Amino acid sequence: MNRPGILALLALVLVGCAGAPRRPALPADDLLLAQAAREAQLARHADWRLSGRIAVSDGRDGGSGQITWIQRGERYEITLNAPVSRRSWRLVGEPGHARLEGLDGGPFSSDSAEALLQEHLDWTVPLSDLAAWVRGIRAPGSASIRFADSGLPERMEQGGWSIDYRSFDQALDPPMPSRVFATRGERRVRLQVGDWSLAPGSP
């Protein structure tokens, strides 16, 4: 094809792209109503389970590994296995009590799971809030949300943390996050979920 023909073809492509209809964005109020409905739906799934990979860093040190998180109402069981360091631990607890098992000198107990992770693993993780964020919903307290074209959260700001949702598993009902990045300054939590399981909701 000669040069004039190529230029003409490019012009047609550009015109076609410019004229392609764009899906109109939903009004902000409608997006927030849809988010509230999604949060209400997930509230009926008090029992859930996820498995995947997690990486935590504070800008200097960090750790990563395979994670399994089982939530039964307010009781949780989180297991992490790090094949590289051959380190593994299990955190079990409920509001007001937590127990960290599998580390030298343990098990360790505290009324705060966050304090256990900070003291024995140097992990600064807002665990109670993370339980909401990993599901793409707001933790208690004020939060701002930016939505993607899909109508699902794209970024959430809460408690000084920025939570970015890189992808959702659209095959689930409701869709669940599959890649979640949470940052606060140099603190970072990166979660990639390979499998979600939601217990049936209450009638």
Side-chain angles (χ1 to χ4, degrees):
M1 184 181 292
N2 57 25
R3 188 170 183 272
I6 293 175
L7 292 176
L9 180 60
L10 288 174
L12 287 173
V13 170
L14 291 173
V15 169
C17 292
R22 297 183 64 184
R23 183 174 60 182
L26 290 173
D29 288 348
D30 290 348
L31 289 169
L32 288 173
L33 285 173
Q35 175 69 10
R38 183 174 176 278
E39 291 175 348
Q41 181 180 3
L42 285 171
R44 295 193 293 271
H45 295 275
D47 298 349
W48 51 268
R49 178 186 184 279
L50 69 79
S51 60
R53 290 192 57 83
I54 190 171
V56 177
S57 172
D58 62 3
R60 301 181 306 276
D61 301 309
S64 63
Q66 300 284 343
I67 186 172
T68 300
W69 187 329
I70 301 172
Q71 192 82 25
R72 296 185 180 93
E74 294 188 322
R75 182 170 177 79
Y76 53 85
E77 178 181 322
I78 302 171
T79 304
L80 184 133
N81 295 294
V84 174
S85 64
R86 297 183 180 179
R87 194 179 191 185
S88 64
W89 50 261
R90 186 170 74 116
L91 178 69
V92 295
E94 55 193 346
H97 179 73
R99 179 182 175 94
L100 183 61
E101 305 171 349
L103 300 180
D104 293 341
F108 306 99
S109 297
S110 173
D111 59 0
S112 168
E114 287 85 354
L116 283 178
L117 295 176
Q118 175 64 53
E119 180 178 358
H120 300 287
L121 294 169
D122 290 328
W123 284 21
T124 303
V125 179
L127 193 65
S128 57
D129 291 342
L130 194 63
W133 298 340
V134 297
R135 292 177 289 157
I137 66 178
R138 293 165 285 189
S142 61
S144 63
I145 307 178
R146 185 178 74 204
F147 294 94
D149 290 342
S150 63
L152 294 167
E154 182 177 60
R155 166 169 281 202
M156 190 182 302
E157 304 276 352
Q158 188 169 29
W161 286 79
S162 297
I163 305 95
D164 291 311
Y165 296 95
R166 304 296 177 90
S167 62
F168 277 78
D169 186 342
Q170 301 277 356
L172 299 175
D173 182 22
M176 299 297 290
S178 52
R179 294 177 68 209
V180 184
F181 292 0
T183 60
R184 182 179 183 178
E186 293 186 337
R187 302 172 186 171
R188 287 172 170 76
V189 180
R190 297 190 174 193
L191 178 67
Q192 183 164 339
V193 182
D195 180 66
W196 272 107
S197 178
L198 300 175
S202 303

